[in-house]
Amino acid sequence: MYLGLDLGTSGVKAMLIGGDQKIVGSASGALDVSRPHSGWSEQDPAHWIRATEEAVAGLKAKFPKELAAVKGIGLSGQMHGATLLDAEDKVLRPCILWNDTRSHEEAAALDADPRFRRITGNIVFPGFTAPKLVWVKKHEPEIFAKVAKVLLPKDFLRLWLTGEHISEMSDSAGTSWLDTGARKWSPELLAATGLSEKQMPSLVEGTEQAGKLSRELAAAWGISGDVVIAGGAGDNAASACGMGTVGEGHAFVSLGTSGVLFAANASYLPKPESAVHAFCHALPKTWHQMGVILSATDALNWYSHVAGKSAAELAGELGDTLKAPTGVTFLPYLSGERTPHNDAEIRGAFIGLGHESSRAVLTQAVLEGVTFAIRDNLEALKSAGTSISRVTAIGGGSRSRYWLQSIATSLGVPVDIPADGDFGAAFGAARLGLIAATGADPLAVCTAPKTEETIEPVAALSDAYEVAYGRYRAAYPALKALAH
């Protein structure tokens, strides 16, 4: 048996799989986020351990024999969090999370130093780890002076599991300290933030062994014999391992609260000015690119509150047959935008409203606006050297056939809907645990799920969609001029 542990923002999920990769069962423990000031987002790392213990206890209660047979554990986690430890591995302050924006000034200052984009291949975003440490140095100098180790959230769990300070490439690529092409820490960038390599964990690939489960925890969980802990992955790379998005040209689109267009690459293809994330993948000699939009299903949920109808009811009013764009354009920048604009201040808009603009017309515009934002991501990935021939759709928004037809038509590629199953980060982490424990070929393990159905582009509407996308593209610079 193999165990995947996924440390998310709202909870820890534990999943057991067999050697045949069939899911035995899963359990979870809940987490809360503390927001002591505007723009702050923190968690107590002790709560991660409690939630993990709850999740594992849930598995032990239902599947004691299967848990006892675990030989490998893989870790996945929320990225970018700054977990600060002293020389005795005591936590110095609550972890500053990925969605904490307090260090926006520090991020802008680091991003203005050309070394960061050149070495990491990425913009220094406020959510990344390095600017958080600069903020601590400036505002909490007494804490900064005691920092002996900086760990990412899942790697703090590893410290508890194994007693070792180890991280891996995919998660570390989101710190702004990694030389992403060389897959190693950059002493130059660490020095630029007042740190050194000795304050970082050692690095392994996500498929490699990164410690063993302590005897105490193994006994408490009812496991005998050695249990290997895999390097693991950041959450999106772990999801990609679960989805089989690991080979050149493989891609998925995620329609969750935010939207992600994720493509695996066999080579390192940075283009930071596009606001595309170029990170190491969890598999050796593999990288990935990722475009992120901040409001996907979030945009439809916002409109559903305004319209007084559920998102499902609104989508249902459109039916299942894709319609030509109406001339009403929606910009989904409700909380700013990441790719390709890197603009925290821009906000959304409806453009082209008329007396004839019904509720269904506005719903259609909202879905198209998110579609065109994802198309922006595709163009950004193309500009960075990535070509995509098809995508797999995941996330809550992928339940809308209308939306998937819209995406297929705008992107000009087929959209695959996977057969029912849980192929998320916990499953990907369990796969990495299996690989680390058995030495199995990563590509043979990280296969794609069966495709339930494929949504093809609607060729008759491709020209109309191109015209509407042109309108959408022209709207951002005009809106930006008004906003500033």
Side-chain angles (χ1 to χ4, degrees):
M1 292 289 153
Y2 304 94
L3 176 64
L5 295 174
D6 175 39
L7 167 56
T9 314
S10 58
V12 174
K13 183 172 184 178
M15 178 180 285
L16 269 174
I17 67 170
D20 57 1
Q21 297 196 51
K22 288 198 174 132
I23 296 171
V24 173
S26 63
S28 58
L31 290 169
D32 292 319
V33 174
S34 168
R35 292 188 170 89
H37 302 286
S38 175
W40 289 34
S41 180
E42 300 183 336
Q43 282 178 332
D44 180 349
H47 295 173
W48 302 337
I49 292 172
R50 173 192 50 72
T52 305
E53 288 180 317
E54 283 176 15
V56 174
L59 285 179
K60 188 179 177 185
K62 290 182 187 172
F63 311 103
K65 288 182 183 172
E66 290 85 352
L67 185 64
V70 164
K71 296 297 176 204
I73 299 174
L75 304 177
S76 157
Q78 46 165 303
M79 296 178 68
H80 314 303
T83 315
L84 311 183
L85 308 180
D86 69 10
E88 276 76 51
D89 286 337
K90 289 195 173 63
V91 175
L92 289 166
R93 67 169 331 284
C95 175
I96 307 175
L97 300 190
W98 61 276
N99 54 355
D100 186 294
T101 57
R102 77 183 73 176
S103 60
H104 59 94
E105 289 178 5
E106 291 79 7
L110 294 182
D111 194 50
D113 180 340
R115 294 176 296 176
F116 278 86
R117 290 192 183 193
R118 176 171 52 80
I119 295 171
T120 71
N122 291 280
I123 290 170
V124 182
F125 289 101
F128 285 13
T129 321
K132 293 168 181 163
L133 268 291
V134 178
W135 185 93
V136 171
K137 184 180 180 184
K138 188 156 120 194
H139 296 278
E140 300 173 349
E142 69 292 347
I143 287 175
F144 186 84
K146 294 179 187 170
V147 173
K149 277 284 187 292
V150 181
L151 293 182
L152 293 159
K154 79 168 192 321
D155 300 319
F156 180 78
L157 270 192
R158 185 196 320 279
L159 176 64
W160 170 65
L161 293 167
T162 70
E164 298 195 49
H165 306 102
I166 304 173
S167 189
E168 49 69 49
M169 306 302 173
S170 70
D171 215 356
S172 298
T175 61
S176 292
W177 290 313
L178 195 77
D179 182 333
T180 309
R183 301 171 90 91
K184 64 181 184 181
W185 295 121
S186 167
E188 192 177 353
L189 298 185
L190 286 163
T193 54
L195 297 165
S196 70
E197 211 168 336
K198 72 173 196 267
Q199 290 164 293
M200 296 295 112
S202 59
L203 289 171
V204 299
E205 295 291 346
T207 54
E208 290 179 336
Q209 181 175 321
K212 289 187 176 176
L213 184 65
S214 72
R215 297 284 182 206
E216 295 77 17
L217 281 175
W221 295 355
I223 304 172
S224 57
D226 285 346
V227 180
V228 168
I229 312 286
D235 50 9
N236 279 300
S239 292
C241 291
M243 288 293 301
T245 310
V246 294
E248 180 76 44
H250 294 181
F252 69 77
V253 60
S254 173
L255 287 172
T257 302
S258 60
V260 173
L261 185 61
F262 182 110
N265 307 111
S267 57
Y268 174 48
L269 299 168
K271 194 177 182 187
E273 63 273 20
S274 67
V276 164
H277 297 20
F279 288 164
C280 301
H281 209 323
L283 277 56
K285 298 179 185 173
T286 311
W287 287 259
H288 71 81
Q289 288 176 325
M290 187 169 65
V292 178
I293 67 169
L294 295 178
S295 297
T297 59
D298 227 16
L300 183 59
N301 290 336
W302 164 81
Y303 178 60
S304 82
H305 289 307
V306 173
K309 292 274 185 183
S310 73
E313 285 175 303
L314 291 171
E317 288 178 351
L318 296 179
D320 278 343
T321 305
L322 190 67
K323 300 171 179 64
T326 64
V328 176
T329 300
F330 174 71
L331 303 180
Y333 309 139
L334 299 173
S335 56
E337 192 53 291
R338 185 80 66 86
T339 310
H341 303 304
N342 186 30
D343 188 339
E345 295 181 348
I346 197 70
R347 289 296 179 265
F350 280 108
I351 299 171
L353 296 173
H355 286 294
E356 69 283 1
S357 301
S358 65
R359 183 172 65 209
V361 164
L362 268 63
T363 302
Q364 183 181 336
V366 169
L367 298 191
E368 288 167 1
V370 174
T371 289
F372 293 146
I374 291 166
R375 168 72 181 273
D376 269 352
N377 280 228
L378 176 66
E379 298 304 326
L381 262 61
K382 279 183 185 172
S383 77
T386 290
S387 59
I388 292 171
S389 59
R390 64 192 313 119
V391 296
T392 301
I394 60 172
S398 66
R399 290 193 289 270
S400 166
R401 289 182 58 83
Y402 189 98
W403 214 343
L404 297 186
Q405 289 176 76
S406 177
I407 289 167
T409 303
S410 185
L411 270 55
V413 298
V415 175
D416 294 326
I417 304 171
D420 277 346
D422 188 339
F423 309 110
F427 182 63
R431 281 180 154 181
L432 292 170
L434 186 158
I435 294 163
T438 64
D441 176 2
L443 294 179
V445 173
C446 297
T447 53
K450 287 181 178 153
T451 297
E452 182 80 26
E453 186 183 354
T454 297
I455 306 286
E456 297 287 347
V458 180
L461 294 179
S462 62
D463 288 347
Y465 257 75
E466 279 304 299
V467 171
Y469 177 61
R471 273 198 307 272
Y472 175 88
R473 287 287 296 162
Y476 170 76
L479 192 66
K480 187 173 175 66
L482 287 173
H484 299 282

